[in-house]
Amino acid sequence: GALLGPAGVQAQEVVNVYEIPSHVSINVISNQLMHERLNQTLHHWDRHDAEQAQAARSAQVLPKAQVNGTGLAALTRGLAGEQAESARATYRQALAFHEAVIRKFSLPSGDLAVALASSVAGAWMAYNNQPFPDPFYLPLVHQMRQRLDRPGARLQTLSDRERTTLYESLAVAGMLLASSQITWQRNPRAPGAEALRDRMRTQGAEALTRLLQVAPDKVAIGPAGVRVQP
């Protein structure tokens, strides 16, 4: 099954990307993903397997983020009036979608590894124009948790505000990307469908590159999480 797919979620949970105002751009969210500490954490995938055992021995569990809208406010910064209001409504819906999805997997809200896995999954969906298979999601969360909790990840020093902003930004980005793929698959002949398909592939590629620091066509996801193909 595919929970992040047309049959796996309720219609009211998904953001209808055909109806998103033009100023609500995924680039606003992508820019939030360039958190320097996150980037320092998620590179060197070629050394990932060798690092897993050491990470498991000395992991430091990250505190949970408080989900209170701080990240949504950051995403709408720079927008004014009705533009800010419409963007805020879209981001609020995307965050609610994310929280509904993770509840179905019995995952905790506020966990940075969960939000990061959701963002990677949504980016993969958008880039490949495919639903994300259910069995791969929990292993992806586990893999992201290992990456974020490992020594040297430097996320332990995030302030409460930074942690919330990062969690909400990752969750919203992931669900907007996932919603793009779900919206297209539900109605691939709608006006604007071809443009949406092209846009989500570009946005998915950008997000995968920023999140994983590798070319998107090298990213494979399976029962053990992300694998970088040669």
Side-chain angles (χ1 to χ4, degrees):
L3 183 58
L4 285 177
V9 293
Q10 300 298 315
Q12 67 270 21
E13 293 175 346
V14 180
V15 178
N16 186 341
V17 180
Y18 288 135
E19 297 177 355
I20 289 180
S22 59
H23 64 271
V24 181
S25 169
I26 195 69
N27 291 326
V28 175
I29 298 165
S30 297
N31 291 334
Q32 299 294 326
L33 303 185
M34 294 300 289
H35 194 290
E36 60 181 9
R37 293 187 182 91
L38 185 62
N39 285 345
Q40 289 168 354
T41 301
L42 294 173
H43 59 304
H44 302 312
W45 280 88
D46 55 328
R47 299 206 301 263
H48 174 63
D49 292 339
E51 290 176 342
Q52 279 188 325
Q54 173 64 23
R57 285 194 296 269
S58 53
Q60 295 178 294
V61 177
L62 289 170
K64 298 289 190 298
Q66 296 297 316
V67 183
N68 56 23
T70 299
L72 303 188
L75 294 177
T76 56
R77 194 169 295 133
L79 299 175
E82 292 183 3
Q83 285 193 340
E85 276 303 310
S86 59
R88 191 175 297 112
T90 298
Y91 299 149
R92 192 180 297 122
Q93 184 182 358
L95 182 59
F97 176 27
H98 179 263
E99 299 300 279
V101 167
I102 67 174
R103 280 195 298 271
K104 293 173 183 177
F105 284 99
S106 300
L107 289 168
S109 179
D111 187 329
L112 286 179
V114 172
L116 178 57
S118 297
S119 201
V120 171
W124 182 92
M125 289 172 65
Y127 178 71
N128 293 287
N129 195 8
Q130 294 180 29
F132 195 87
D134 274 5
F136 297 168
Y137 183 64
L138 289 178
L140 181 61
V141 170
H142 177 68
Q143 184 187 41
M144 294 300 105
R145 188 170 287 128
Q146 286 184 319
R147 300 296 287 179
L148 295 183
D149 290 348
R150 70 177 183 158
R154 304 184 186 181
L155 292 177
Q156 296 286 344
T157 60
L158 287 177
S159 69
D160 290 346
R161 183 181 185 87
E162 287 174 322
R163 191 176 297 111
T164 294
T165 297
L166 187 56
Y167 176 86
E168 294 182 0
S169 297
L170 287 167
V172 168
M175 292 305 100
L176 280 183
L177 287 162
S179 290
S180 294
Q181 196 279 326
I182 295 168
T183 297
W184 184 90
Q185 187 167 338
R186 282 178 169 168
N187 195 356
R189 294 179 178 83
E194 186 174 345
L196 173 59
R197 184 191 60 204
D198 293 344
R199 186 168 69 250
M200 71 183 181
R201 182 169 175 85
T202 299
Q203 293 169 345
E206 179 186 354
L208 285 172
T209 301
R210 287 174 182 250
L211 288 166
L212 302 178
Q213 305 294 301
V214 295
D217 61 344
K218 302 290 187 185
V219 177
I221 298 182
V226 170
R227 178 173 55 85
V228 177
Q229 303 179 112

